[in-house]
Amino acid sequence: MMIKHILVCVRWLLALLVALSSALEANTAAGNEGAMIGQQYEIVGELYAHSVADDLNSRVVSFISLVPLQLTGPEIISRKVVPTGSILTIVEKAPKRFLAFLYPDRYIVRVNTLDAPAGIPVVISLSRGIEGKSTALNPLIFKPLF
């Protein structure tokens, strides 16, 4: 009985270590994050701006998330297409979340064709198709401007 309990614990720890190493690898794969601040990109692919509410009762927009997917759910207040040719500027790295190593890196951005309400950040997360393999951002959606 004791050996069975130990084996379950060992399996659980191994699964946790694999998950943590995958998350850390995904966060470091993008390369030098500091070099991204100030970088500008032209939107050349499909991208959506989702207004998201943290509080489902008040349904007040907390942030705008940019993703190449048409997301739905009770937290999505609205969605609009980001026009091709728009210019995205990376402003700063978003504040860390609790247990940050479990989440992809996030950046606060500015898009010249989006009118975000004052105080509402526009955010991209290096996940869900935003991230690139050999570049920080997916080249099918974002064309770097030099």
Side-chain angles (χ1 to χ4, degrees), residues 91-111:
V91 177
E92 63 184 329
K93 191 149 184 175
K96 296 278 187 191
R97 298 185 196 181
F98 177 68
L99 298 175
F101 63 89
L102 295 174
Y103 298 98
D105 287 338
R106 297 180 333 143
Y107 291 89
I108 309 256
V109 299
R110 184 174 49 250
V111 179

Side-chain angles (χ1 to χ4, degrees), residues 6-120:
I6 292 172
L7 287 175
V8 168
C9 289
V10 168
R11 285 184 189 149
W12 186 83
L13 284 173
L14 284 173
L16 181 63
L17 286 173
V18 168
L20 291 176
S21 67
S22 297
L24 290 174
E25 182 179 324
N27 280 343
T28 58
N32 187 354
E33 297 145 354
M36 289 181 60
I37 306 301
Q39 179 66 46
Q40 291 187 320
Y41 295 87
E42 179 182 355
I43 307 299
V44 295
E46 190 173 7
L47 191 64
Y48 298 92
H50 297 85
S51 297
V52 181
D54 286 333
D55 181 3
L56 298 180
N57 292 325
S58 71
R59 298 190 49 84
V60 173
V61 175
S62 302
F63 63 96
I64 297 172
S65 178
L66 300 179
V67 272
L69 308 167
Q70 293 186 38
L71 303 177
T72 59
E75 68 279 1
I76 306 296
I77 306 301
S78 67
R79 173 183 60 232
K80 73 182 224 178
V81 174
V82 177
T84 305
S86 297
I87 305 300
L88 176 140
T89 304
I90 299 181
V91 177
E92 63 184 329
K93 191 149 184 175
K96 296 278 187 191
R97 298 185 196 181
F98 177 68
L99 298 175
F101 63 89
L102 295 174
Y103 298 98
D105 287 338
R106 297 180 333 143
Y107 291 89
I108 309 256
V109 299
R110 184 174 49 250
V111 179
N112 68 334
T113 56
L114 288 181
D115 290 326
I120 304 297

